[in-house]
């Protein structure tokens, strides 16, 4: 671990990995820290001829690294409340990982011949859910309840992804139609009991909705509403293309929580008082990339950490809060555009907020 001072924002940042392989944080749609915030988890890319890839945990204070799984496991994600991780081996075998001891226990199997299309997610009841590419080449939503066999609860010929079971309601699974860009209707909510699917945020033709995430209590979702054309702020001469929208659990009410330049992936602190997002060059606009912090009460947005430019989507910053909400973990693309995991302490930011 090394500590450096951001040349633009002036804040101290801790960097925990230095490549040449990608060392990227878990996706922002799951918890990234242990329940006591002592450790965070990240994925080390396995380069050709190397054998040390896989999921690692890093001690936030000391920088000590320890491997949790090797590179044969996929879809690692941590539980919202319990100190447990979930991961897949050989595409279909689901394991729970005790994040204190790192002991692994097999909890079930997903349908044969398929593979997950994102990370695993879990509700507070222990139900695991994921989007899945089935052996019949359809896409589907799969649930795995403790002690039971996995069940395909929904099938579609659309490419499904970003599935996230509601943390506090095992009956609701959010998912998207993945186009790797805009979609006519991207966001969907599935009712497990009723086997009923409906749009979450109902899109108009001019809207571009992307990168959605549940709050930790499952009461609301944050998503990004992009304006591909952008608009010029006459007072500042800036092009704004990112609005963070907050919707209620049922998708009946939405508010604009923040507007800032070139935002992409939003995340909500556990107390729901703060938002963060990455600032990225896209849609023909080039900016200084980095991490933005937003206070929901005032809608004030501030660039708190700058980064290099991303080589690929896997190298995006994908910032997210620790459980206490006093630190943000993000991937910082290095001089080659390859993400390397970093943490910024928010106490220094809030002192001059």
């Amino acid at each position: 671990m090394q500590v450096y001072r951001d040349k633009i924002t002036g804040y101290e940042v801790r960097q925990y990995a230095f490549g040449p392989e990608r060392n990227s944080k878990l996706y922002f749609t799951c918890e990234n820290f242990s329940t006591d915030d002592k450790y965070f988890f990240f994925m080390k890319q396995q380069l050709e001829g190397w054998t040390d890839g896989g999921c690692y945990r890093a001690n936030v204070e000391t920088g000590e690294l320890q491997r949790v799984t090797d590179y044969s496991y996929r879809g690692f994600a941590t539980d919202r409340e319990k100190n447990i991780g979930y991961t897949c081996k050989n595409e279909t075998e689901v394991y729970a990982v005790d994040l204190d001891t790192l002991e692994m226990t097999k909890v079930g199997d997903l349908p044969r011949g398929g593979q997950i299309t994102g990370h695993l997610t879990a509700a507070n009841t222990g139900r695991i859910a994921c989007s899945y590419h089935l052996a019949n080449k359809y896409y589907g939503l799969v649930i795995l309840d403790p002690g039971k066999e996995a069940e395909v609860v929904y099938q579609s010929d659309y490419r499904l992804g970003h599935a996230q079971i509601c943390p506090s309601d095992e009956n609701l699974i959010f998912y998207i139609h993945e186009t790797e860009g805009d979609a006519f209707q991207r966001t969907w909510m599935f009712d497990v009991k009723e086997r009923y699917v409906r749009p979450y945020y109902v899109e108009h033709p001019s809207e571009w909705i992307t990168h959605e995430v549940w709050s930790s209590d499952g009461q609301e979702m944050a998503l990004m509403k992009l304006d591909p054309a952008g608009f010029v702020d006459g007072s500042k001469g800036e092009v704004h293309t990112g609005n963070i929208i907050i919707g209620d659990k049922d998708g009946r009410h939405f508010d604009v929580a923040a507007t800032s330049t070139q935002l992409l992936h939003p995340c909500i602190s556990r107390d729901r008082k703060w938002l963060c997002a990455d600032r990225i060059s896209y849609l023909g606009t080039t900016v200084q990339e980095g991490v933005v912090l937003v206070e929901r009460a005032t809608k004030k947005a501030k660039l708190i950490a700058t980064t290099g430019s991303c080589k690929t989507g896997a190298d995006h910053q994908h910032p997210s809060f620790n459980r206490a909400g006093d630190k943000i973990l993000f991937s910082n693309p290095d001089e080659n555009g390859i993400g390397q995991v970093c943490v910024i302490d928010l106490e220094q930011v809030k002192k001059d907020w």
Side-chain angles (χ1 to χ4, degrees):
M1 181 185 68
Q2 292 183 9
V3 179
Y4 68 89
R5 187 169 295 277
D6 192 295
K7 294 180 180 179
I8 295 177
T9 70
Y11 296 124
E12 285 190 349
V13 177
R14 297 180 180 184
Q15 183 170 336
Y16 294 80
F18 301 88
E21 76 283 359
R22 175 184 302 113
N23 292 280
S24 56
K25 67 181 293 297
L26 302 183
Y27 207 49
F28 70 104
T29 50
C30 73
E31 296 287 349
N32 276 236
F33 286 78
S34 58
T35 53
D36 59 5
D37 281 335
K38 182 178 179 180
Y39 302 100
F40 68 81
F41 301 87
F42 70 96
M43 299 301 299
K44 178 183 288 290
Q45 180 185 15
Q46 185 159 298
L47 298 180
E48 185 176 355
W50 295 29
T51 59
D52 62 344
C55 179
Y56 280 72
R57 72 176 184 183
N59 185 300
V60 176
E61 295 303 320
T62 68
E64 180 183 4
L65 305 181
Q66 187 172 6
R67 189 156 76 166
V68 179
T69 70
D70 63 37
Y71 210 66
S72 64
Y73 291 84
R74 297 183 59 211
F76 185 89
T78 59
D79 193 275
R80 290 286 190 178
E81 303 299 334
K82 300 181 287 293
N83 211 30
I84 297 174
Y86 304 99
T87 188
C88 249
K89 185 176 184 180
N90 300 325
E91 303 293 354
T92 61
E93 301 175 34
V94 180
Y95 286 82
V97 185
D98 185 316
L99 298 183
D100 291 314
T101 65
L102 303 186
E103 180 181 356
M104 302 181 67
T105 304
K106 185 176 178 180
V107 296
D109 292 281
L110 300 176
R112 291 183 179 179
Q115 61 181 7
I116 56 178
T117 63
H119 61 73
L120 299 173
T121 66
N124 54 3
T125 58
R127 171 175 286 175
I128 296 170
C130 63
S131 49
Y132 205 68
H133 196 192
L134 297 157
N136 62 11
K137 303 309 177 184
Y138 290 161
Y139 287 87
L141 300 177
V142 177
I143 62 172
L144 177 62
D145 288 320
K148 297 183 180 180
E149 291 187 2
E151 181 180 2
V152 180
V153 293
Y154 178 68
Q155 294 188 63
S156 173
D157 54 2
Y158 283 98
R159 180 182 174 188
L160 307 185
H162 290 223
Q164 305 170 54
I165 195 167
C166 179
S168 57
D169 186 349
E170 68 169 14
N171 190 52
L172 293 180
I173 302 175
F174 173 90
Y175 70 94
I176 67 162
H177 287 172
E178 180 61 89
T179 65
E180 298 185 351
D182 197 6
F184 289 117
Q185 174 58 47
R186 173 182 164 95
T187 61
W188 300 85
M189 195 71 75
F190 179 73
D191 186 302
V192 176
K193 290 181 180 179
E194 300 296 330
R195 297 297 197 267
Y196 174 74
V197 63
R198 59 178 172 81
Y200 176 66
Y201 181 94
V202 180
E203 294 186 49
H204 295 88
S206 62
E207 293 182 312
W208 189 333
I209 302 300
T210 189
H211 296 127
E212 310 78 9
V213 60
W214 282 110
S215 61
S216 61
D217 60 6
Q219 293 305 303
E220 58 185 15
M221 294 197 80
L223 51 90
M224 194 60 62
K225 181 179 178 182
L226 305 181
D227 176 7
F231 65 90
V232 177
D233 183 331
S235 64
K236 298 180 180 179
E238 294 178 338
V239 177
H240 294 257
T241 56
N243 295 315
I244 300 178
I245 309 295
I246 302 293
D248 61 14
K249 176 180 176 180
D250 295 324
R252 300 181 185 277
H253 181 82
F254 294 87
D255 291 310
V256 177
T259 299
S260 190
T261 309
Q262 297 292 124
L263 301 183
L264 198 57
H265 302 89
C267 200
I268 310 173
S269 64
R270 289 179 72 88
D271 62 9
R272 294 197 280 164
K273 294 181 179 180
W274 299 87
L275 304 168
C276 65
D278 41 13
R279 176 171 288 170
I280 294 175
S281 300
Y282 59 85
L283 297 179
T285 299
T286 301
V287 294
Q288 169 58 63
E289 300 195 1
V291 176
V292 174
L293 180 67
V294 179
E295 184 178 33
R296 290 185 67 176
T298 63
K299 297 187 179 180
K300 177 181 177 181
K302 181 178 182 179
L303 180 68
I304 62 171
T306 59
T307 70
S309 296
C310 312
K311 182 178 180 180
T312 69
D315 300 295
H316 284 157
Q317 295 88 344
H318 296 144
S320 57
F321 295 92
N322 68 349
R323 297 182 188 245
D326 58 7
K327 293 179 177 63
I328 289 177
L329 174 69
F330 62 98
S331 294
N332 183 351
D334 58 23
E335 63 275 9
N336 297 312
I338 304 300
Q340 307 297 336
V341 282
C342 293
V343 168
I344 181 170
D345 192 320
L346 297 182
E347 293 304 313
Q348 60 184 326
V349 178
K350 293 178 181 179
K351 286 179 180 179
D352 58 10
W353 188 256

